[in-house]
């Protein structure tokens, strides 16, 4: 049985919603659950909401990393935080996967320095599952602001392995986020990356993808630097929210529109679902030697439960050893070419 | 009376929709209209649709620049195209503004080389009006893939002048597109640009803007490099289209939802309007010494009419001389500082 290390501090709704989410996961998915956080707070929150803590292990962590903390605090000043303790337990083998809603920068830094990266991978990356039909893995979604074509090639390989193993896509189509379809488009980074991606036989490269094609089933893995990835992701989030607000206003206009809203209730709920993305769980940190999942800072119980489900699936899969083998093969081929 | 040079070739719907748009503009806005394109084609299309050509001047252009043409063809191989002829007429004073739906790269190159940039402006840029409430000017939206902090500072000044003159915003708020709010965020480009923008007394700088805040009335002018600007713009377009498709499917589900759609018709039409952006006209080329407006390649008559309206407003305003004066003041201050 997998042992899931659950950081119940950090994020906007800690600890209550995260404990609720962990409890819901425990009811649904067979695993060993280790909650990490301020023990008194955890027990108090659980008591108030009548959440039974039997069957959970609790590991006390005296401090919390906040959104304002510098990313390096996880290995410097806040080594007794829930995040640092969880990552150390994962590194030392006291757990099989770690889930956290905390500070993304700190989690990425901590995962890289404490859990360490997969041998042969130059830079780990954060994948984000875009709530499309079918889902698209955006990699990198914000961790690596400056990248090289070689990083992007590895992101493509890691992203493909993830979509194959976790989402069952047989031969994931990899696209390069760019400002046009032609191979001459973009900055030096995109032009060089295009060459690497299109000449790698292990990558099912489908070419450059413009922002408006991301939503039109153009690829399964969308490769980019963390800066552009963040712009894309946040713009989608913003437009999704704008859509929901606009619809809400539309339906509240008058008695007729309110009646129409009643007729459409089922359909509206499904739109809400498809635009919010919490169904899909969290963002996997790829290239880290053990499974680390970043849940959205605003996660409520359901989203957090889904992130835990994803951590279990990640841990059950052979993804990390796949990525290790793929990185080794890539590096050996590169060596042979030079 | 202003003389508007109208390129009725190029784009997806030339020449018919563009002639219709020009005719609609002529009925509504007082100006002299000069249509540029293949004369026989123009006359035939107008005849078929019973569009009277009285009052229009027609300037024959034997060739057309297509979307596949290289940007430099406008000054090299296709100097007899509607775009090249229109730009040359604008440069020589045979017209006061030029509107085209054609190849963006060629139009930008042609405007820069034939009409020339404003003295003191390092790089002209293409502004795009994002269909928000209130509208946001995105600059650069795709012309300058690689930029410097000094370019972005000038984009901020040109964008502010545009929003002041054309949209009547008293003191336009300028934001820098970035992957976080803090001043340390982004690549070297954003970090250095932040310093320049925040220390320029002529810019009402409101800080870094993340993708999801663009839709939330965070700024009037959004400054960025053309690569990220394109990603933002296309992602918004894609999400807007996805919203409309999703709504359409929702309403077509069954008899009940179809009835609900009838009740909501007025509201749905207004959403369609707010998500499509053709109301707002075209994209101004800022930093060019005379008004050049790029209308969307997919423009139909109404969108093209609005782009013509915008060209008239641009030409009526003192925008170009404002930008010239602002560039001069900026460069003099920089000189004094060194």
């Amino acid at each position: 049985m997998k042992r899931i290390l659950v950081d119940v501090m950090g994020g906007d709704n800690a600890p209550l919603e995260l404990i609720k989410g962990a409890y819901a996961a425990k009811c649904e998915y067979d695993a060993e659950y280790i909650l990490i956080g301020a023990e008194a707070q955890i027990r108090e929150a659980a008591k108030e909401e009548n959440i039974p803590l039997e069957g959970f292990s609790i590991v006390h962590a005296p401090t919390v990393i906040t959104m304002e903390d510098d990313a390096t605090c996880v290995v410097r000043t806040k080594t007794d935080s829930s995040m640092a303790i969880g990552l150390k337990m994962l590194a030392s083998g006291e757990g099989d996967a770690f889930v956290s809603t905390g500070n993304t920068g700190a989690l990425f830094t901590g995962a890289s320095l404490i859990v360490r990266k997969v041998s042969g991978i130059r830079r780990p990356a954060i994948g984000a599952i875009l709530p499309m039909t079918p889902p698209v893995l955006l990699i990198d979604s914000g961790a690596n602001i400056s990248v090289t074509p070689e990083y992007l090639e590895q992101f493509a390989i890691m992203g493909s392995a993830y979509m194959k193993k976790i989402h069952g896509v047989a031969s994931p189509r990899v696209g390069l986020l760019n400002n046009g379809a032609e191979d001459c488009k973009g900055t030096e980074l995109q032009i060089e990356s295009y060459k690497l991606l299109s000449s790698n036989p292990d990558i099912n490269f489908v070419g450059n993808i413009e922002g408006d094609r991301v939503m039109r089933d153009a690829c399964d893995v969308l490769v980019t630097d963390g800066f552009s990835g963040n712009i894309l992701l946040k713009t989608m989030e913003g437009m999704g929210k704008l859509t929901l607000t606009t619809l809400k206003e539309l339906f509240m206009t008058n008695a007729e529109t309110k009646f129409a809203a009643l007729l459409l209730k089922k359909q509206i709920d499904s739109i809400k679902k498809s635009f919010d993305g919490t169904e899909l769980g969290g963002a996997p940190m790829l290239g880290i030697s053990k499974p680390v999942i970043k849940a959205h800072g605003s996660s409520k119980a359901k989203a957090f439960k889904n992130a835990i489900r994803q951590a279990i699936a990640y841990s059950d899969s052979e993804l990390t050893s796949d990525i290790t083998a793929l990185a080794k093969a890539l590096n050996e081929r590169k060596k042979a070419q030079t």
Side-chain angles (χ1 to χ4, degrees), chain A:
Chain A
M1 205 154 59
K2 297 297 178 187
R3 297 154 304 160
I4 310 303
L5 299 156
V6 183
D7 179 4
V8 291
M9 312 305 283
D12 305 337
N13 306 301
L16 181 60
E17 287 291 327
L18 308 187
I19 299 169
K20 276 191 195 168
Y23 179 70
K26 187 166 159 290
C27 296
E28 217 167 307
Y29 316 121
D30 218 24
E32 204 175 297
Y33 292 84
I34 304 156
L35 307 185
I36 307 163
E39 183 161 4
Q41 263 192 68
I42 295 173
R43 295 207 180 275
E44 194 182 358
K47 198 175 166 190
E48 269 179 27
E49 295 277 324
N50 283 319
I51 305 165
L53 289 178
E54 286 85 53
F56 283 108
S57 310
I58 298 178
V59 172
H60 177 63
T63 65
V64 181
I65 292 176
T66 67
M67 292 304 170
E68 289 69 37
D69 278 324
D70 183 79
T72 57
C73 72
V74 65
V75 289
R76 290 191 179 157
T77 52
K78 290 200 170 173
T79 53
D80 60 353
S81 59
S82 54
M83 189 188 285
I85 290 175
L87 289 169
K88 282 185 272 190
M89 289 179 72
L90 181 65
S92 67
E94 294 166 77
D96 299 302
F98 180 62
V99 188
S100 176
T101 61
N103 184 316
T104 309
L107 187 60
F108 186 71
T109 304
S112 303
L113 298 178
I114 298 170
V115 187
R116 300 276 176 160
K117 56 190 175 63
V118 167
S119 160
I121 289 295
R122 291 165 176 235
R123 294 287 287 269
I126 305 182
I129 313 285
L130 305 179
M132 309 283 95
T133 317
V136 176
L137 182 79
L138 174 72
I139 180 168
D140 182 36
S141 69
N144 301 286
I145 296 306
S146 296
V147 301
T148 67
E150 289 73 24
Y151 293 2
L152 292 192
E153 186 181 23
Q154 291 198 336
F155 293 176
I157 286 173
M158 296 195 291
S160 299
Y162 185 87
M163 291 309 278
K164 211 178 270 186
K165 267 283 151 70
I166 308 293
H167 287 264
V169 182
S171 174
R173 295 159 300 163
V174 173
L176 177 66
L177 182 63
N178 210 334
N179 68 323
E182 305 84 357
D183 59 5
C184 61
K185 284 287 179 175
T187 66
E188 203 57 26
L189 172 67
Q190 284 77 26
I191 295 169
E192 290 306 313
S193 300
Y194 190 102
K195 290 180 197 161
L196 280 186
L197 292 170
S198 56
S199 62
N200 187 319
D202 293 332
I203 297 172
N204 178 14
F205 185 54
V206 295
N208 288 328
I209 304 288
E210 293 177 83
D212 59 339
R213 287 192 55 222
V214 176
M215 304 81 196
R216 283 151 62 192
D217 193 16
C219 63
D220 302 298
V221 177
L222 183 63
V223 168
T224 187
D225 63 280
F227 186 83
S228 307
N230 177 280
I231 301 298
L232 178 95
L233 189 64
K234 291 281 177 68
T235 305
M236 287 184 59
E237 271 184 30
M239 287 297 287
K241 273 183 202 159
L242 180 67
T243 299
L244 295 179
T245 319
T246 309
L247 283 182
K248 207 173 163 184
E249 279 171 13
L250 178 160
F251 290 126
M252 297 306 286
T253 312
N254 57 40
E256 255 187 1
T257 61
K258 282 180 196 167
F259 176 63
L262 282 179
L263 295 176
L264 293 168
K265 190 165 180 332
K266 226 164 77 185
Q267 283 77 19
I268 296 168
D269 286 348
S270 99
I271 287 196
K272 272 191 195 156
K273 245 186 182 173
S274 73
F275 276 94
D276 96 352
T278 55
E279 292 297 311
L280 293 160
M285 304 236 163
L286 294 172
I288 299 293
S289 60
K290 294 182 177 187
V292 175
I293 300 286
K294 165 72 175 90
H296 204 290
S298 65
S299 294
K300 296 209 167 183
K302 198 176 74 175
F304 198 57
K305 185 197 84 172
N306 286 322
I308 292 173
R309 182 197 67 210
Q310 198 184 358
I312 298 170
Y314 193 154
S315 167
D316 281 340
S317 77
E318 303 291 313
L319 187 58
T320 305
S321 57
D322 284 8
I323 290 177
T324 310
L326 287 163
K328 202 179 159 205
L330 176 70
N331 292 332
E332 276 170 6
R333 195 167 56 232
K334 298 246 169 201
K335 226 177 190 169
Q337 279 168 358
T338 55

